[in-house]
Amino acid sequence: MDENEHTPQADESGDVDQSTEGSSETSDEPDTGANKSSSSPAHSPSTDETSTPPTPPASDRDLDAPVDPTSNESASVTPDSDVPDGVSSGITSTTGGDIDVGSGGRDRSSPDVDFDGVVLDDEEDNQGLFDDLLSGEPIFENKEVLRPSYTPHELPHRNDQINRMATILVSALRGETPSNILIYGKTGTGKTASAKFVSQELESTSQKYDVPCEVEYINCEVTDTQYRVLAQLANTFIEKNQQVISDRLDRLRDLRTAADDDPNTLTGTEFSTVDELDARIAELETDADEMEEVPMTGWPTDRVYSTFFEAVDYHERVVVIMLDEIDKLVEKSGDDTLYNLSRMNSELDRSRISIMGISNDLKFTDFLDPRVKSSLGEEEIVFPPYDANQLRDILQHRADISFKQDALTDDVIPLCAAFAAQEHGDARRALDLLRTAGELAERSQAEVVAETHVRQAQDKIELDRVVEVVRTLPTQSKIVLFAVILLEKNGVHNINTGEVFNIYKRLCEEIDADVLTQRRVTDLISELDMLGIVNAVVVSKGRYGRTKEMGLSVPVEETEAVLLSDSRLGDIENAQPFVQARFDN
């Protein structure tokens, strides 16, 4: 090729610069050396390229031929010199800007080619944030089985309690009013799970025999006032009544349409004439319009009660109201709700109501009115704590469903059961421990859950519990706790109330908080002791009286970090009042 021939340079818009000295005709051959300053040696023509027929000059082409608007006559323009040495683009121009893919080249419009024509084939190798996490083999088959909200189809070691509940509630299937039931037991002893299991069986059996029987569940730790309980129940029954009315109206309107075509259609129905049918349709429409949902606030309590009364008595049915954590309702708003509910049956015409209360507090009935206590506690069922062997059976039953086969080593379930048995036989605790151990194993991309994961889960759950308790403390309690932490960090042991109060006052002044009296600070220390955050004991000082000495029962660093995360206490770290260490002999 003549050295005076140059490859025309293309600007970013793809137009060819014709001002280059030399031939006035466009040459599509690569530059072999006349313009080495703008061309990389990587683009010198190879022996394969010399065998390619040269592109006819522009003057020799059919200028009238249609041109693809997406094509570029200068597609073979030599790329910039930043292409690495030794890398060949493999691009050879042909008429119309087509690309010779035989040598690996691609169209510049392809998203896999950068603006210099370099192929970017490494995108498939880029691993995103979640790609690495998803690359491991999952351990869980169904993690939800290990959560407290799951109601299993089988409850090991609770057959006696379940059978007793069933014998009490079976009268509901006969249209009779079941006795009220009180269920006692510590946390994690299967009370709620057993009650929900029996309730599901009751409702499914009632549908089987076409008996109107319903169970309504209320968590009194959330719905903890008389107004909220009655409003939630009223709205539930209003919604069900509206559905019943809607179904009846659909059937009656279909019957009305058929009666227009054939009056004999009403024969054998409860309506002797079309007018009676129309009157019934109008009555149902009025009932639906008059049913007004109860707002969560704003109505007088007696209006809410009457609305609930009318809603539940709209048609015949037996209702079992399950009040979980019933002691929280009594603690917050007294026993008025239980009194009203337990007395409703004497006023209802079509419906019957039974109450099933579930409580962790074995003594909460001591605070009830004697009349409420006698009517509410007609039947009492106690759930004892699980022992280690029973917990092992429960965990094994759930693990068979929740984990993949051979995902647990042999010592995982016995260890989870042993840890939970030490804490009053809490099955919920055992399930949380097993689930957390599985999650830790999955995060570390381990193939199986091992003993080490269980021990890590034990530490994590303990820390999470402390963090949650400390995070929800009132501001004044947090300041008192921070004072205890400062004293411990400065080497003070057997901390007494006076020392805590002195540091507490300095901290309040630094963050502009109200200073409580020393008696109130002592009460806050007692509350921290009750929560297990500090360990406080009363010590006699002889003629100097008695004082309360304490020490932290939680990790110092983690607890301090939780306290400092509170926006109100954000600057307390900079206060750090002077603490004079006291060394005991």
Side-chain angles (χ1 to χ4, degrees):
M1 182 172 61
D2 187 15
E3 292 185 356
N4 290 329
E5 290 183 346
H6 296 274
T7 301
Q9 301 297 316
D11 60 16
E12 293 182 359
S13 63
D15 296 331
V16 179
D17 183 4
Q18 300 286 354
S19 62
T20 307
E21 293 181 3
S23 174
S24 61
E25 293 181 351
T26 303
S27 173
D28 290 337
E29 296 182 12
D31 191 353
T32 59
N35 192 13
K36 288 186 178 182
S37 61
S38 62
S39 175
S40 171
H43 298 88
S44 299
S46 63
T47 56
D48 293 332
E49 289 173 334
T50 58
S51 62
T52 304
T55 304
S59 59
D60 297 338
R61 300 180 207 163
D62 185 2
L63 299 180
D64 295 329
V67 179
D68 184 356
T70 61
S71 65
N72 190 349
E73 285 286 331
S74 59
S76 64
V77 174
T78 304
D80 293 338
S81 59
D82 58 351
V83 178
D85 292 344
V87 178
S88 176
S89 67
I91 300 176
T92 303
S93 175
T94 58
T95 305
D98 295 334
I99 303 299
D100 179 12
V101 297
S103 57
R106 301 185 186 180
D107 192 346
R108 277 178 67 154
S109 63
S110 169
D112 292 331
V113 182
D114 71 356
F115 291 109
D116 294 327
V118 178
V119 179
L120 303 177
D121 287 331
D122 60 342
E123 290 185 1
E124 297 179 358
D125 299 331
N126 291 336
Q127 291 291 315
L129 174 63
F130 292 98
D131 292 328
D132 292 335
L133 300 176
L134 290 173
S135 61
E137 191 69 22
I139 291 178
F140 289 102
E141 190 76 40
N142 184 3
K143 191 190 298 186
E144 298 304 314
V145 174
L146 299 176
R147 298 194 182 277
S149 57
Y150 176 77
T151 302
H153 299 295
E154 181 182 350
L155 288 160
H157 308 292
R158 285 295 177 253
N159 290 333
D160 292 343
Q161 289 80 6
I162 288 174
N163 289 334
R164 189 173 172 194
M165 274 190 275
T167 56
I168 297 171
L169 295 176
V170 70
S171 58
L173 299 174
R174 302 189 185 104
E176 303 170 358
T177 307
S179 299
N180 296 325
I181 307 173
L182 276 182
I183 299 174
Y184 300 103
K186 293 183 178 179
T187 302
T189 53
K191 304 182 303 297
T192 302
S194 298
K196 285 185 175 181
F197 174 79
V198 173
S199 300
Q200 291 176 358
E201 290 291 314
L202 179 66
E203 288 188 320
S204 62
T205 307
S206 69
Q207 294 173 2
K208 177 180 178 181
Y209 293 103
D210 196 20
V211 178
C213 183
E214 304 169 11
V215 179
E216 300 301 332
Y217 174 84
I218 293 181
N219 186 346
C220 296
E221 193 165 17
V222 179
T223 311
D224 57 356
T225 64
Q226 179 177 215
Y227 187 101
R228 291 178 182 175
V229 169
L230 294 175
Q232 182 172 328
L233 288 171
N235 290 336
T236 299
F237 288 113
I238 286 173
E239 182 179 351
K240 290 186 175 183
N241 292 342
Q242 288 174 337
Q243 183 61 48
V244 170
I245 292 173
S246 177
D247 294 340
R248 289 179 180 175
L249 283 174
D250 289 340
R251 292 195 301 268
L252 295 179
R253 285 165 180 161
D254 291 341
L255 181 62
R256 180 69 175 82
T257 302
D260 287 338
D261 299 332
D262 182 9
N264 294 327
T265 305
L266 298 180
T267 304
T269 66
E270 58 181 305
F271 308 103
S272 57
T273 64
V274 174
D275 291 339
E276 291 182 6
L277 178 58
D278 290 338
R280 180 57 178 157
I281 291 175
E283 181 183 353
L284 289 174
E285 289 175 342
T286 302
D287 290 345
D289 293 338
E290 290 178 351
M291 287 185 181
E292 181 182 2
E293 288 193 358
V294 181
M296 294 313 294
T297 57
W299 280 14
T301 305
D302 58 345
R303 182 182 177 187
V304 180
Y305 179 82
S306 62
T307 302
F308 162 61
F309 182 91
E310 293 172 0
V312 74
D313 204 33
Y314 183 75
H315 64 82
E316 182 180 356
R317 56 186 155 198
V318 177
V319 178
V320 178
I321 299 176
M322 190 190 306
L323 300 174
D324 199 0
E325 307 286 354
I326 190 173
D327 51 297
K328 298 291 192 297
L329 175 63
V330 175
E331 179 183 328
K332 180 73 178 287
S333 57
D335 54 12
D336 291 345
T337 310
L338 302 180
Y339 179 82
N340 289 330
L341 292 176
S342 62
R343 291 288 185 272
M344 280 187 68
N345 285 326
S346 60
E347 304 174 25
L348 293 171
D349 296 326
R350 302 183 182 92
S351 301
R352 294 290 179 266
I353 285 182
S354 174
I355 300 174
M356 181 188 296
I358 304 173
S359 174
N360 299 329
D361 186 358
L362 302 178
K363 299 181 179 180
F364 95 96
T365 54
D366 295 345
F367 304 99
L368 296 177
D369 185 283
R371 296 170 296 174
V372 177
K373 184 177 180 180
S374 62
S375 62
L376 188 64
E378 294 174 338
E379 297 281 353
E380 295 185 354
I381 302 176
V382 178
F383 280 66
Y386 295 107
D387 59 31
N389 292 328
Q390 292 173 334
L391 288 172
R392 188 179 306 179
D393 292 341
I394 294 171
L395 292 178
Q396 188 64 60
H397 180 262
R398 298 283 187 100
D400 291 341
I401 308 173
S402 60
F403 287 97
K404 293 195 172 182
Q405 191 173 4
D406 300 327
L408 304 178
T409 58
D410 294 338
D411 52 357
V412 167
I413 288 180
L415 186 58
C416 289
F419 279 139
Q422 292 173 0
E423 300 189 13
H424 315 297
D426 188 345
R428 188 177 302 174
R429 164 78 172 194
L431 292 170
D432 284 343
L433 193 58
L434 182 59
R435 177 180 51 80
T436 305
E439 290 173 345
L440 292 175
E442 203 170 54
R443 291 171 193 168
S444 62
Q445 297 188 352
E447 295 182 355
V448 295
V449 184
E451 176 187 345
T452 54
H453 298 120
V454 177
R455 298 191 181 278
Q456 292 172 6
Q458 171 79 348
D459 296 338
K460 182 179 184 300
I461 290 176
E462 280 295 331
L463 182 58
D464 289 347
R465 185 178 297 178
V466 170
V467 167
E468 183 62 24
V469 170
V470 173
R471 187 183 62 81
T472 56
L473 287 174
T475 301
Q476 289 289 344
S477 296
K478 288 182 177 180
I479 300 174
V480 172
L481 179 57
F482 197 81
V484 177
I485 290 175
L486 285 179
L487 288 165
E488 284 230 347
K489 288 179 66 176
N490 285 272
V492 181
H493 303 290
N494 298 328
I495 304 166
N496 60 50
T497 308
E499 292 170 328
V500 173
F501 183 71
N502 289 335
I503 303 300
Y504 161 81
K505 284 196 302 183
R506 297 278 297 273
L507 292 174
C508 288
E509 293 169 359
E510 292 289 343
I511 66 172
D512 195 24
D514 295 335
V515 179
L516 303 179
T517 62
Q518 185 164 348
R519 179 182 293 275
R520 181 61 186 134
V521 169
T522 303
D523 293 339
L524 294 180
I525 292 172
S526 298
E527 293 176 8
L528 294 175
D529 181 28
M530 182 182 65
L531 293 171
I533 298 175
V534 301
N535 182 26
V537 293
V538 177
V539 178
S540 175
K541 296 294 184 179
R543 62 177 179 171
Y544 298 103
R546 295 185 303 170
T547 186
K548 187 172 286 188
E549 293 185 349
M550 73 206 73
L552 278 177
S553 303
V554 293
V556 176
E557 300 298 332
E558 289 82 356
T559 306
E560 183 179 12
V562 175
L563 292 175
L564 294 177
S565 66
D566 189 331
S567 59
R568 180 77 190 277
L569 306 181
D571 299 330
I572 203 171
E573 186 178 19
N574 300 325
Q576 297 289 345
F578 174 73
V579 179
Q580 181 176 0
R582 173 174 55 80
F583 300 95
D584 296 330
N585 294 327

